[in-house]
Amino acid sequence: MSIQDNINALHDKLDHGNCLLVAVSKTKPVEDIMEAYDMGHRDFGENKVQELVQKFDTLPKDIKWHMIGHLQRNKVKAIAPFVHLIHAVDSLKLLKEINKQGEKNNRSISCLLQVHIAEEQTKFGFSENELHQLLASQEISNLNSVNITGLMGMATNSTHDSLVRSEFRKLHSFFNECKKYETSNIHFTELSTGMSSDYHIATDEGSTIVRLGSVIFGERN
Ligand SMILES: *Cc1c(COP(=O)(O)O)cnc(C)c1O
């Protein structure tokens, strides 16, 4: 199966859920991205700033670049001029830096807040309580150069579908609860959940964006 075949097969599956497919191209060469681009695919995801910037410089400018990985504050500046959506905002400090860089670039940068939903200790993200506090605070509503469009979460890396499903379901219900905090720059329209191993569950449980790498481009080294 070619990259294009893989994307076509995914479109058939995802259409039912009205879900955006972000093709996760990390570690893959620009030729692979162009194969997807040539069939009209425009949304690509990377998890490292340096690689993201290099690919942005090389590739057509109508690509929508998604920063899906953990982002350090000192690296926001490099992607602020062009990034389409930052998926994994996990602190107010980071959000403030994104706001500052958005201001400098005269644009409003779209962000998702990452929620910690997995059992693993290592995964980044806010707890539900932390987010309730943050979303209710005056501080967040003053950040006029960020546009919060929803939440992102990663389920436990597990073959137990029922565990993964319950994590996605809980996040979806929290996402709906968050709608009460909507303001001019905070909206809850996007829920970024689902990777190659669990997107079939995520789309059942309210996902509006899936981030898929290996099912499109093959396994990474
Ligand atoms: C790598 C990555 C993905 C895609 O992983 P696959 O298993 O290859 O689909 C999705 N989300 C994040 C945050 C990633 O780092």
Side-chain angles (χ1 to χ4, degrees):
M1 292 270 279
S2 70
I3 289 169
Q4 296 194 349
D5 290 339
N6 292 339
I7 290 177
N8 278 327
L10 285 165
H11 280 160
D12 287 343
K13 287 186 198 166
L14 295 173
D15 263 349
H16 311 288
N18 237 335
C19 210
L20 175 71
L21 171 59
V22 174
V24 176
S25 47
K26 62 189 185 194
T27 78
K28 299 293 178 181
V30 294
E31 292 74 24
D32 285 10
I33 297 176
M34 283 310 294
E35 195 176 326
Y37 181 89
D38 285 340
M39 69 185 291
H41 196 81
R42 291 295 179 269
D43 290 88
F44 293 91
E46 292 284 336
N47 71 337
K48 296 223 161 62
V49 166
Q50 196 187 359
E51 188 174 349
L52 176 55
V53 170
Q54 271 169 7
K55 285 174 172 168
F56 167 75
D57 284 342
T58 318
L59 287 160
K61 291 296 173 281
D62 60 342
I63 288 179
K64 295 174 184 164
W65 289 106
H66 296 250
M67 175 60 197
I68 62 169
H70 182 65
L71 179 58
Q72 288 171 313
R73 270 181 293 155
N74 60 359
K75 302 216 169 136
V76 173
K77 197 177 177 172
I79 60 171
F82 68 88
V83 70
H84 177 69
L85 179 63
I86 298 176
H87 284 237
V89 175
D90 62 355
S91 74
L92 177 59
K93 278 183 169 177
L94 175 60
L95 200 58
K96 283 181 173 171
E97 177 62 19
I98 296 169
N99 185 64
K100 184 173 143 195
Q101 297 301 332
E103 236 165 59
K104 282 192 181 165
N105 286 279
N106 259 315
R107 63 188 295 248
S108 174
I109 300 178
S110 294
C111 296
L112 304 177
L113 302 172
Q114 183 172 6
V115 189
H116 185 283
I117 59 171
E119 283 183 342
E120 290 106 334
Q121 297 276 314
T122 55
K123 299 223 166 124
F124 297 103
F126 292 101
S127 69
E128 291 189 11
N129 271 338
E130 287 168 337
L131 271 185
H132 277 302
Q133 282 183 20
L134 178 67
L135 289 165
S137 74
Q138 190 60 41
E139 250 179 319
I140 198 168
S141 55
N142 291 337
L143 303 176
N144 295 314
S145 299
V146 293
N147 195 14
I148 293 168
T149 58
L151 302 177
M152 180 268 204
M154 290 168 84
T156 302
N157 184 4
S158 163
T159 53
H160 293 283
D161 282 8
S162 58
L163 173 64
V164 172
R165 186 176 295 279
S166 73
E167 290 170 352
F168 284 150
R169 187 168 293 180
K170 190 155 174 282
L171 179 59
H172 188 214
S173 109
F174 178 64
F175 171 79
N176 286 329
E177 221 182 296
C178 285
K179 291 184 176 163
K180 67 179 180 216
Y181 296 114
E182 293 198 338
T183 64
S184 59
N185 65 331
I186 304 178
H187 298 275
F188 289 90
T189 50
E190 304 301 336
L191 184 57
S192 170
T193 49
M195 309 175 31
S196 294
S197 58
D198 58 20
Y199 73 92
H200 57 290
I201 304 172
T203 51
D204 278 351
E205 302 296 339
S207 176
T208 69
I209 305 178
V210 290
R211 310 172 310 270
L212 305 183
S214 42
V215 281
I216 296 175
F217 298 108
E219 293 297 326
R220 290 176 296 275
N221 291 327

